[in-house]
Amino acid sequence: MQQHHESHRPSSPAPDPDPGKPSEQPLTPAAPPSHSDIKRWRQYLADERAEAAVYRELAQRRDGEERQILLALAEAEGRHEAHWLKLLGEHAGMPRAASGRSRFLGFLARNFGSVFVLALAQRAEGRSPYGTEPAATPAMVADEQIHEEVVRGLATRGRNRLSGTFRAAVFGANDGLVSNLSLVMGMAATGVPSPVVLMSGVAGLLAGALSMGAGEYVSVRSQRELLNATLPTQATLTAAPSLDIEHNELVLVYLARGMTREAAEHRAAERMGLFGCDCDPSLSLQPEKPPEDDHETVGSAWGAAMSSFCFFASGAIVPILPFIFGMTGVAALVVAGVLVGMALLATGAVVGLLSGTSPLSRGLRQLAIGLGAAAATYGLGLAFGAVIV
């Protein structure tokens, strides 16, 4: 198989017959591929096959435009697969296993098909090794960059559908974990008996869950009411025939809604019956409503309230589990801290996955904040001169 000489200098590649089109020729070494090259290319081949399978699995769970987008992504990964097959030739050998990341994505796509898969796929596309791979074509590098943005757009749709209730759930769980651990640590540091610490934790769980649920209900309900207040009414339809055309205040309505003067005057003339049709469709904005996603993004008031209540309670019960099972003193506090730490790492990792960032860094951030707050509260309890019983 003939290979092409690799060079990192801009002037070294052969002239492209079409400068406006990315070259499809691989920048590969002139010598036969080495053992490490073959091993690396076979891994790329396995990963491309796995990623194409992930997109096809996701496409089966979608319809319409999203399905077509996912199938197009799978087709692009198939082109990359063909590139590595051609480059490997007789060295392709038996199919090898994809990377652990690709296999995990495939498992999620087959069994869940959720926004988590798209969030992980977005991160995977953004970490493509092709940018530093001499055997990858410039077009392949560009494909991976574009794929990240395509997957980001698809993941954003799912995030918008989740964000209202999911926000309440995540914040509710974190608040329960941190606030009740802080309460338990503070009470224990004052030297009160373990049953008192347990009852304080139970009281904190109930009070916090009710407070969070009520607060989320009021917050989301108020936000939805504000959104509803911005919806245009149909007053323009009933009032238009009686307006004075020489002092057409209907134009002011459309100017206030953000139209240009030209578009506002055109719409006002339509409303007053001067135009029997949309003479200039580009100026006719049908009907003036915000995107349907607005309320979806905010979430429902009852959904947010129930999620916040349940997840706060599920988080707040973790710090008191050792006391429920009869543990006391320092041992109970250590176990409570470990359990809460694990839960904070998990919730932080979930937020990181959905936001397309590092799950580890988000988990460690949640852990540092939570344990820092608990340590501060414990220190305040010790400041009163008590010791753990």
Side-chain angles (χ1 to χ4, degrees):
M1 177 169 52
Q2 183 179 1
Q3 304 292 337
H4 297 275
H5 180 66
E6 174 196 359
S7 175
H8 296 287
R9 294 179 299 175
S11 59
S12 57
D16 193 330
D18 183 359
K21 181 180 179 181
S23 171
E24 292 293 339
Q25 295 298 319
L27 302 176
T28 55
S34 65
H35 176 73
S36 62
D37 289 335
I38 293 172
K39 181 179 179 181
R40 191 171 68 253
W41 297 348
R42 290 186 65 199
Q43 186 64 62
Y44 293 154
L45 175 62
D47 288 342
E48 292 291 0
R49 287 171 171 167
E51 289 170 13
V54 166
Y55 290 133
R56 284 192 291 268
E57 289 283 353
L58 291 176
Q60 293 179 4
R61 298 170 178 264
R62 301 291 197 279
D63 51 25
E65 184 182 65
E66 287 192 23
R67 176 182 174 85
Q68 296 305 315
I69 292 173
L70 288 164
L71 289 176
L73 288 174
E75 182 181 350
E77 303 294 357
R79 292 195 300 270
H80 297 176
E81 174 189 343
H83 169 82
W84 298 119
L85 276 173
K86 180 179 179 181
L87 208 58
L88 283 164
E90 61 183 11
H91 301 292
M94 296 293 293
R96 64 176 300 168
S99 64
R101 179 202 65 197
S102 297
R103 293 199 300 272
F104 181 58
L105 277 176
F107 170 79
L108 291 178
R110 288 189 299 273
N111 295 279
F112 300 99
S114 67
V115 67
F116 289 94
V117 182
L118 289 171
L120 285 168
Q122 173 190 329
R123 182 168 172 80
E125 295 286 4
R127 300 172 66 180
S128 170
Y130 290 170
T132 56
E133 172 54 58
T137 68
M140 291 171 65
V141 177
D143 280 350
E144 296 298 313
Q145 293 172 343
I146 293 300
H147 289 179
E148 180 184 7
E149 294 306 314
V150 173
V151 176
R152 188 195 308 275
L154 292 175
T156 297
R157 299 184 185 189
R159 289 180 182 121
N160 285 341
R161 290 190 287 266
L162 279 176
S163 59
T165 303
F166 178 77
R167 174 182 57 84
V170 171
F171 289 140
N174 277 291
D175 283 350
L177 288 164
V178 175
S179 65
N180 228 28
L181 178 63
S182 298
L183 176 61
V184 167
M185 296 285 283
M187 289 296 295
T190 62
V192 298
S194 292
V196 176
V197 176
L198 173 60
M199 294 309 300
S200 299
V202 172
L205 184 157
L206 294 174
L210 290 170
S211 175
M212 287 289 293
E216 279 295 332
Y217 178 86
V218 171
S219 173
V220 175
R221 185 61 182 267
S222 298
Q223 192 169 359
R224 288 175 64 87
E225 290 170 350
L226 286 173
L227 286 172
N228 285 329
T230 65
L231 287 173
T233 67
Q234 298 301 311
T236 56
L237 294 176
T238 56
S242 303
L243 291 175
D244 183 353
I245 190 171
E246 294 184 0
H247 302 88
N248 189 357
E249 295 185 3
L250 194 55
V251 174
L252 300 180
V253 172
Y254 297 122
L255 289 174
R257 291 181 185 176
M259 290 186 182
T260 64
R261 177 163 291 278
E262 183 183 12
E265 290 176 351
H266 183 90
R267 173 53 67 83
E270 287 180 347
R271 286 288 189 256
M272 296 180 72
L274 299 182
F275 294 155
C277 64
D278 288 346
C279 302
D280 185 353
S282 67
L283 298 178
S284 181
L285 306 177
Q286 301 294 336
E288 307 94 357
K289 293 183 180 179
E292 293 183 0
D293 277 344
D294 280 354
H295 286 183
E296 226 177 4
T297 301
V298 175
S300 69
W302 279 111
M306 291 303 297
S307 295
S308 186
F309 177 92
C310 293
F311 279 89
F312 184 97
S314 66
I317 199 172
V318 173
I320 60 176
L321 285 176
F323 296 93
I324 291 176
F325 287 99
M327 297 185 69
T328 59
V330 175
L333 293 181
V334 170
V335 172
V338 170
L339 292 176
V340 170
M342 294 171 59
L344 288 173
L345 283 172
T347 57
V350 169
V351 173
L353 288 176
L354 282 180
S355 62
T357 55
S358 169
L360 179 60
S361 65
R362 292 297 180 270
L364 291 176
R365 183 181 67 179
Q366 295 289 92
L367 179 64
I369 292 172
L371 296 187
T377 310
Y378 183 78
L380 291 173
L382 288 178
F384 290 98
V387 296
I388 299 176
V389 177

